[in-house]
Amino acid sequence: MNRSHQLAEDKLPVAREEHSHSHDTSNVGDRFGDSSTHPHVHSEESLRSIVNRLSRIEGHIRGVKTMVQESRPCPEVLVQIAAVRGALDRVARMILDAHLSECITRAAQEGNIEVEMAELKAALDRFLP
């Protein structure tokens, strides 16, 4: 898919349906479980944008693998790995932004901000070096 087609696809109208998943907060910071304690809802637009970015990263990683299989020069491979790292960091920022604007805001309105903040802190402890 060429870049202009991808950009056009990214701007298609999106239904305002919501997707939800849940967290088990019984061991916040130790694991992220599947049992439900509170809903975790994201807009379809947000999910689509993140999944599209991850799909592009997946393709980029396959390209790096091919470069290694073709014995391309190590500096070229390292530059592409750096590009993948940057792309993953941008996706992480998108996820954090969505979490802050959608999930934290909703938790504050519903009165369970402490649980949501504990989960975020635990995730950031694992995410940040």
Side-chain angles (χ1 to χ4, degrees):
M1 174 180 318
N2 67 33
R3 182 71 182 141
S4 62
H5 181 73
Q6 180 65 40
L7 288 174
E9 183 178 290
D10 285 348
K11 295 184 182 195
L12 292 174
V14 178
R16 287 293 180 177
E17 298 175 25
E18 294 187 333
H19 166 83
S20 67
H21 60 268
S22 302
H23 298 275
D24 176 4
T25 57
S26 61
N27 288 320
V28 172
D30 294 10
R31 65 182 173 81
F32 294 101
D34 293 328
S35 62
S36 176
T37 58
H38 70 276
H40 201 103
V41 181
H42 294 278
S43 70
E44 285 295 322
E45 181 178 5
S46 176
L47 289 174
R48 184 175 56 104
S49 179
I50 291 167
V51 169
N52 284 343
R53 291 269 182 131
L54 289 170
S55 294
R56 286 192 292 259
I57 292 167
E58 183 178 29
H60 201 159
I61 290 172
R62 282 193 302 272
V64 172
K65 180 180 175 184
T66 299
M67 290 176 75
V68 170
Q69 291 170 332
E70 294 173 352
S71 295
R72 299 280 293 272
C74 295
E76 288 181 21
V77 175
L78 291 171
V79 166
Q80 293 306 310
I81 290 171
V84 169
R85 279 183 178 168
L88 280 171
D89 285 344
R90 287 187 294 280
V91 169
R93 286 186 195 128
M94 290 172 67
I95 291 170
L96 179 58
D97 182 58
H99 187 69
L100 292 172
S101 63
E102 297 176 22
C103 306
I104 297 292
T105 300
R106 185 173 28 262
Q109 292 168 346
E110 294 172 356
N112 60 345
I113 189 74
E114 295 82 15
V115 171
E116 202 69 44
M117 290 301 294
E119 288 179 351
L120 178 58
K121 287 177 184 178
L124 289 174
D125 284 345
R126 297 178 124 196
F127 178 75
L128 296 173

